[in-house]
């Protein structure tokens, strides 16, 4: 197994993962709308740009101008990265992305080859559901796609939307995407004393130990910042957290 | 000084102490979301003071051989005791679960028990004992309640309160790094144990009629229980200093300053 680690772009997350993602592994970032999945993914690529590890961002949702504008607002000049061959932006559809040419190469393969990409982001996996495949076919397609990327020795982040804004999340996807990747990170809203906060949860990290605490995180002008773990609070994964008795004791005893 | 005077003296002190504690807790600057359980907890101690006051009033009325108020006071006391039990349980449940709705079934349960008690007492035609020398002391309400009702009432009233005491003791062991809360919860749970325990001594006291020692011990335990609660919120200076514990007055001052900021 590859013990080489890849920085996530967040010092706190690297610490939680024991040094970063394993090189060549795939990570699913699942979360409700607005939780910062895309931001976290770009931070991962930005870290690669700094470390001379070019990256490709595949989006099924954004138009190029939108991507450039939103990223620039957070201080990431994607156009500049592209000029220096450290980045490629692919705005496409899942059908086009997985379609192979006569040599068996895909659009993504070309981009990887072109800039010698080491990091890939797919935003988001949910769009594969629109391929109109059956559950088993879709699962097979995604599994094949993830294995294909693994063979390319790229470290991959894939995002996926969880429709529930708040409340318990019973499953990440109907298609079992979480079983096809090495790691799973969940970004979610939690209600805490009439305030909406965000929780950063590492659900699964294959091959290594990780921080199992639920951390609060905030989205700033420069990206996601993971803060300290929630203290003396229970029920965070249910979406409606509450203080523990020991915490309430401060106010009630 | 006769033993009766001594007992009444201790009872007056105990009642006064519980009123002071209740008043002190009612003035507590609680966070708005915990206002209700905080008030209920304070009211529980006020009710404890009132029930002690009722016992004193009963004794005074017996002394003056006036029995016209005893039955009314009995009904009023029953209502207050059940309300008090609910308030205490409400406070504990909110402390442990943070959920106020969970207390509703308990409220219904206590209300049903109260109605059951009052219905059976009223239906049996209660009589106030006015003559000394029988099995029952003057001022006692004599009424016929079936054994199963008595058992149900005792279990329904005692079990939740024993649960409250045990739960608070458990919390004591979980409160690490919170010396003030740890100190308070220990004294509160011990005080509650003593309070309910002193109630059980009534049976000893009654069975040992003729020896007032049991009654004096019972009243002293009640007084001690009150002192524990008082010191829980007003710790002596040496305890404050040695164990880094703050009193309710310090807490209110800090909160007032924070509110101004």
């Amino acid at each position: 197994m590859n013990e080489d680690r890849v920085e996530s772009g967040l010092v706190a997350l690297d610490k939680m993962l024991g040094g970063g993602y394993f090189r060549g592994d795939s990570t699913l970032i699942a979360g409700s709308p607005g939780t910062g999945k895309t931001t976290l993914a770009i931070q991962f690529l930005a870290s690669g740009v700094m470390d001379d590890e070019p990256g490709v961002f595949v989006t099924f949702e954004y138009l190029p101008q939108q991507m450039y504008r939103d990223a620039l607002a957070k201080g990431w000049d994607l156009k500049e990265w592209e000029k220096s061959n450290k980045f490629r932006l692919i705005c496409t559809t899942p059908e086009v992305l997985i379609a192979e040419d006569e040599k068996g190469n895909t659009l993504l393969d070309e981009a990887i080859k072109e800039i010698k990409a080491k990091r890939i982001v797919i935003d988001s996996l949910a769009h594969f559901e629109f391929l109109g495949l059956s559950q088993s076919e879709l699962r097979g397609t995604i599994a094949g796609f993830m294995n294909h990327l693994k063979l390319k020795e790229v470290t991959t982040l894939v995002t996926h939307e969880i429709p529930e804004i708040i409340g318990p999340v019973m499953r990440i996807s109907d298609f079992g995407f979480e079983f096809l990747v090495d790691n799973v990170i969940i970004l979610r809203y939690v209600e805490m004393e009439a305030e909406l906060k965000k929780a950063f949860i590492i659900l699964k990290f294959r091959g290594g130990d990780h921080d199992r605490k639920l951390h609060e995180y905030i989205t700033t002008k420069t990206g996601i910042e993971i803060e300290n773990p929630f203290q003396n609070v229970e029920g965070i994964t249910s979406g409606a957290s509450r203080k523990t008795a020991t915490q309430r004791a401060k106010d009630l005893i | 000084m006769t033993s009766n005077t001594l007992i009444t003296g201790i009872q007056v002190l105990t009642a006064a102490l519980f009123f002071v504690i209740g008043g002190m807790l009612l003035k507590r600057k609680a966070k708005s979301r915990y206002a209700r359980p905080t008030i209920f907890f304070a009211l529980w101690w006020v009710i404890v003071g009132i029930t002690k006051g009722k016992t004193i009033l009963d004794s005074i009325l017996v002394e003056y051989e006036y029995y016209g108020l005893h039955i009314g006071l009995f009904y009023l006391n029953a209502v207050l005791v059940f309300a008090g039990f609910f308030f205490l349980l409400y406070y504990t449940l909110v402390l442990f679960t943070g959920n106020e709705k969970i207390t509703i079934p308990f409220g219904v349960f206590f209300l049903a028990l109260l109605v059951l008690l009052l219905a059976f007492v009223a239906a049996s035609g209660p009589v106030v004992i006015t003559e000394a020398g029988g099995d029952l002391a003057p001022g006692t309400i004599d009424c016929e309640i079936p054994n199963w009702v008595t058992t149900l009432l005792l279990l329904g009233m005692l079990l939740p309160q024993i649960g409250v005491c045990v739960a608070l003791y458990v919390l004591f062991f979980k409160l690490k790094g919170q010396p003030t809360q740890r100190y308070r919860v220990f004294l509160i749970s011990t005080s509650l144990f003593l309070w309910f325990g002193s109630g059980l001594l009534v049976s000893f006291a009654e069975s040992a009629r003729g020896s007032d020692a049991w009654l004096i011990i019972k009243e002293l335990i009640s007084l001690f229980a009150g002192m524990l609660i008082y010191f829980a919120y007003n710790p002596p200076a040496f305890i404050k200093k040695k164990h880094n514990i703050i009193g309710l007055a310090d807490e209110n001052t800090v909160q007032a300053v924070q509110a101004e900021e």
Side-chain angles (χ1 to χ4, degrees), chain A residues 237-250:
Chain A
T237 49
S238 72
S241 63
R242 56 191 182 279
K243 286 180 172 179
T244 57
T246 52
Q247 186 67 12
R248 272 190 299 275
K250 275 186 187 172

Side-chain angles (χ1 to χ4, degrees), chain B:
Chain B
M1 186 191 285
T2 64
S3 55
N4 274 353
T5 315
L6 180 63
I7 288 167
T8 308
I10 300 169
Q11 285 174 337
V12 170
L13 268 178
T14 309
L17 192 56
F18 280 116
F19 281 127
V20 168
I21 293 161
M24 197 170 69
L25 289 171
L26 279 172
K27 284 181 198 160
R28 188 178 191 184
K29 290 177 173 59
K31 287 187 180 170
S32 59
R33 64 182 171 280
Y34 294 129
R36 195 179 293 154
T38 305
I39 289 171
F40 279 7
F41 187 55
L43 287 177
W44 152 254
W45 296 114
V46 172
I47 287 171
V48 169
I50 293 173
T51 55
K52 193 53 85 178
K54 182 256 177 196
T55 310
I56 299 164
L57 187 59
D58 276 350
S59 308
I60 294 168
L61 292 172
V62 169
E63 198 64 35
Y64 285 92
E65 294 183 2
Y66 179 73
Y67 299 99
L69 286 176
H70 278 85
I71 290 179
L73 285 173
F74 170 81
Y75 285 132
L76 182 65
N77 190 58
V79 172
L80 285 174
V81 165
F82 275 93
F85 280 171
F86 173 67
F87 291 159
L88 180 62
L89 193 63
Y90 183 100
Y91 168 81
T92 313
L93 286 170
V94 173
L95 173 64
F96 276 86
T97 66
N99 183 356
E100 293 189 48
K101 284 182 185 166
I102 204 170
T103 62
I104 294 170
F106 291 94
V108 173
F109 173 69
F110 278 124
L111 189 63
L113 277 187
L114 175 65
V115 170
L116 189 74
L117 170 70
L118 297 183
F120 272 97
V121 170
S124 71
V127 176
V128 188
I129 303 296
T130 55
E131 298 292 325
D135 288 341
L136 298 171
T140 310
I141 309 294
D142 186 20
C143 54
E144 291 292 322
I145 300 179
N147 283 341
W148 70 268
V149 177
T150 311
T151 310
L152 185 70
L153 285 167
L154 277 174
L155 289 177
M157 287 163 74
L158 280 178
L159 286 182
Q161 309 315 321
I162 290 170
V164 165
C165 296
V166 172
L168 289 174
Y169 264 128
V170 169
L171 188 61
F172 166 77
F173 292 104
K174 294 172 93 178
L175 284 169
K176 286 167 186 161
Q178 296 182 46
T180 300
Q181 277 64 37
R182 211 161 188 238
Y183 165 78
R184 285 180 188 172
V185 86
F186 178 73
L187 293 191
I188 292 167
S189 48
T190 306
S191 173
L192 288 170
F193 258 125
L194 289 175
W195 180 255
F196 292 120
S198 74
L200 290 176
L201 269 182
V202 171
S203 54
F204 280 101
E206 283 177 350
S207 63
R209 185 163 302 284
S211 160
D212 289 336
W214 279 114
L215 287 170
I216 294 169
I217 290 169
K218 172 190 174 288
E219 295 306 332
L220 283 174
I221 290 174
S222 299
L223 178 62
F224 184 62
M227 286 166 70
L228 286 182
I229 294 293
Y230 182 81
F231 286 123
Y233 289 98
N234 296 285
F238 75 95
I239 291 182
K240 276 187 183 181
K241 200 174 171 184
K242 193 175 177 187
H243 300 285
N244 196 25
I245 285 161
I246 60 162
L248 197 60
D250 310 318
E251 195 181 289
N252 284 340
T253 309
V254 170
Q255 288 194 2
V257 171
Q258 282 174 345
E260 277 177 22
E261 283 171 358

Side-chain angles (χ1 to χ4, degrees), chain A residues 78-205:
Chain A
L78 303 186
K79 283 183 181 172
E80 198 58 40
W81 295 354
E82 282 187 316
K83 277 183 195 165
S84 55
N85 279 331
K86 289 183 176 176
F87 179 78
R88 283 292 177 270
L89 175 65
I90 301 174
C91 301
T92 185
T93 61
E95 294 97 318
V96 175
L97 186 76
I98 58 173
E100 295 177 348
D101 62 15
E102 62 278 4
K103 291 178 185 170
N105 289 327
T106 64
L107 187 63
L108 185 56
D109 293 336
E110 292 298 329
I112 291 170
K113 194 177 169 186
E114 190 184 341
I115 60 167
K116 295 185 176 61
K118 299 284 182 196
R119 302 183 181 206
I120 305 292
V121 168
I122 311 291
D123 187 29
S124 78
L125 221 48
H127 286 254
F128 279 86
E129 292 176 21
F130 304 138
L131 286 171
L133 303 173
S134 69
Q135 194 161 324
S136 59
E137 283 171 339
L138 180 63
R139 206 178 147 102
T141 303
I142 302 274
F145 181 65
M146 299 312 291
N147 282 335
H148 180 73
L149 291 175
K150 192 156 264 193
L151 290 172
K152 296 275 176 194
E153 296 181 341
V154 291
T155 310
T156 308
L157 251 63
V158 289
T159 67
H160 180 63
E161 275 179 19
I162 296 174
E164 289 87 4
I165 305 290
I166 201 104
V169 173
M170 306 308 287
R171 66 181 69 164
I172 292 171
S173 78
D174 293 335
F175 303 93
F177 291 159
E178 59 273 33
F179 300 106
L180 306 175
V181 291
D182 300 299
N183 318 314
V184 177
I185 289 172
I186 295 182
L187 307 179
R188 66 164 319 180
Y189 294 109
V190 286
E191 188 187 341
M192 200 173 291
E193 298 187 329
E195 199 180 329
L196 212 52
K197 296 192 174 189
K198 291 174 185 172
F200 196 103
I201 307 162
I202 301 173
L203 193 68
K204 164 181 163 187
F205 186 60

